Amino acid sequence: MIETLYHLYDNLKSENYLNARQYFIDLKEINDENFIEIVSDLIEKQEISKEGIQILSSKGQFGKLEKVYGQKGVSEASRKDLNINNCYGIFIENTNIEAMALWDGNHFKFFQN
């Protein structure tokens, strides 16, 4: 999951927004133009940063979404109609450093809570 976060960060940093789309769950209802508008300021807002990923890598608690986030994780997956058994999370307690993702069998696909 950490490696995928770095790939996502690199794409966002280089403003390769449409390539970054592969790292998110399929959002069919959002066209490319709207997607770019949504993700283009994630780095500026520090929603994703190299430092945050490094901290998650060294101090994050990783596991199945339900175990890591409890009911919050179950609710997020259900709201997005995702199979909870294929969802994972990583976070650091008492911080806003976190990530939730669906494992599609080959790659992690992130979703925002």
Side-chain angles (χ1 to χ4, degrees):
M1 188 176 207
I2 295 296
E3 183 178 332
T4 307
L5 280 168
Y6 278 119
H7 290 301
L8 172 59
Y9 173 83
D10 289 342
N11 277 277
L12 295 173
K13 185 74 173 167
S14 64
E15 299 181 4
N16 193 350
Y17 302 125
L18 293 180
N19 196 52
R21 192 169 185 144
Q22 70 180 307
Y23 299 106
F24 291 94
I25 60 170
D26 189 15
L27 304 167
K28 292 178 178 128
E29 70 279 3
I30 299 175
N31 65 31
D32 287 346
E33 185 178 319
N34 289 340
F35 179 79
I36 291 169
E37 186 178 320
I38 291 167
V39 300
S40 63
D41 63 353
L42 290 177
I43 288 181
E44 183 181 323
K45 289 181 175 180
Q46 294 197 334
E47 294 286 330
I48 184 170
S49 68
K50 263 195 177 161
E51 296 80 14
I53 298 168
Q54 289 168 343
I55 293 168
L56 277 173
S57 180
S58 64
K59 299 179 181 177
Q61 178 184 348
F62 173 81
K64 291 275 193 174
L65 196 64
E66 186 172 18
K67 183 177 180 192
V68 173
Y69 286 98
Q71 187 55 45
K72 175 186 174 187
V74 172
S75 296
E76 287 300 324
S78 295
R79 205 176 89 219
K80 292 173 176 48
D81 199 27
L82 302 174
N83 182 341
I84 189 70
N85 294 319
N86 296 333
C87 293
Y88 294 82
I90 187 168
F91 84 110
I92 299 175
E93 199 168 353
N94 299 319
T95 73
N96 62 350
I97 302 173
E98 67 178 10
M100 294 183 186
L102 171 72
W103 177 251
D104 71 1
N106 296 307
H107 307 284
F108 283 107
K109 306 279 186 171
F110 297 102
F111 56 93
Q112 266 185 304
N113 50 352

